[in-house]
Amino acid sequence: MVMPSQTPLSPDAGSDGVLSTTLPARVVSAPVVPTAELTSTPKRRSFTAKYKLRILDETDHAADTGGVSAILRREGLYSSALTDWRRARAAGTLGALQPRHRGPKKSPNNPLQAELSKANREVAALRRRLDQAEAIIAIQKKVAALLDEMEQTQECGGKS
């Protein structure tokens, strides 16, 4: 018997605890390909309505004791999923058995959204044109005022 504080002797060790050199030591390497349980990014399973209905049929026809739990173990399912699927089936909609997407729901497309964005682009283009026109008018007013001043200085300068 080996006590917890003692190290167990290997089957190749002699009575004195020294390894014999007749048998080579085996080295067991780790598996090269990781199993599905060891994936770096877990992925949520989703089941089709056809699969759910098949499992519900199997569990409904499981007569022997432990038959339902055997099916759940085989498929890797929880009893709560089975309960949810039965409720959805009782609601009478096959669509209720379809997998639902998690996360925020997309808002429905507004038919007026395209028209609104087009109108906003037109307004922005018209504002740019208005700003250019106002700048041109302001320059024309300054030029007209300068020409008036020049004309007045020439009239004043020509009378003397």
Side-chain angles (χ1 to χ4, degrees):
M1 176 173 195
V2 176
M3 299 300 289
S5 62
Q6 296 176 341
T7 57
L9 296 177
S10 70
D12 296 338
S15 61
D16 58 353
V18 178
L19 286 176
S20 65
T21 57
T22 58
L23 295 175
R26 288 192 204 181
V27 177
V28 179
S29 62
V32 177
V33 179
T35 64
E37 294 177 343
L38 301 176
T39 58
S40 61
T41 56
K43 184 172 168 85
R44 180 174 291 273
R45 295 188 303 171
S46 62
F47 306 103
T48 63
K50 184 177 176 182
Y51 174 81
K52 291 176 183 180
L53 287 173
R54 182 178 63 81
I55 296 298
L56 287 173
D57 276 344
E58 280 186 50
T59 55
D60 290 344
H61 292 97
D64 59 338
T65 306
V68 174
S69 58
I71 293 170
L72 292 177
R73 278 193 307 275
R74 180 190 73 210
E75 299 294 330
L77 298 171
Y78 291 102
S79 61
S80 60
L82 192 62
T83 305
D84 292 342
W85 296 351
R86 284 182 177 149
R87 282 190 192 130
R89 182 180 60 181
T93 57
L94 186 63
L97 290 174
Q98 290 293 344
R100 284 176 279 187
H101 295 285
R102 296 173 54 85
K105 308 298 181 232
K106 292 182 180 178
S107 60
N109 289 338
N110 188 350
L112 300 177
Q113 186 65 36
E115 189 176 334
L116 177 64
S117 62
K118 181 181 176 185
N120 285 338
R121 285 192 303 270
E122 288 177 2
V123 166
L126 289 173
R127 282 194 178 140
R128 283 192 301 272
R129 288 181 66 191
L130 176 63
D131 290 342
Q132 287 175 346
E134 287 175 345
I136 291 171
I137 291 171
I139 291 172
Q140 286 176 343
K141 285 181 182 179
K142 289 178 183 178
V143 168
L146 283 173
L147 289 176
D148 282 344
E149 279 184 35
M150 286 176 58
E151 205 173 281
Q152 288 175 3
T153 56
Q154 286 178 356
E155 287 178 5
C156 291
K159 292 184 182 177
S160 334

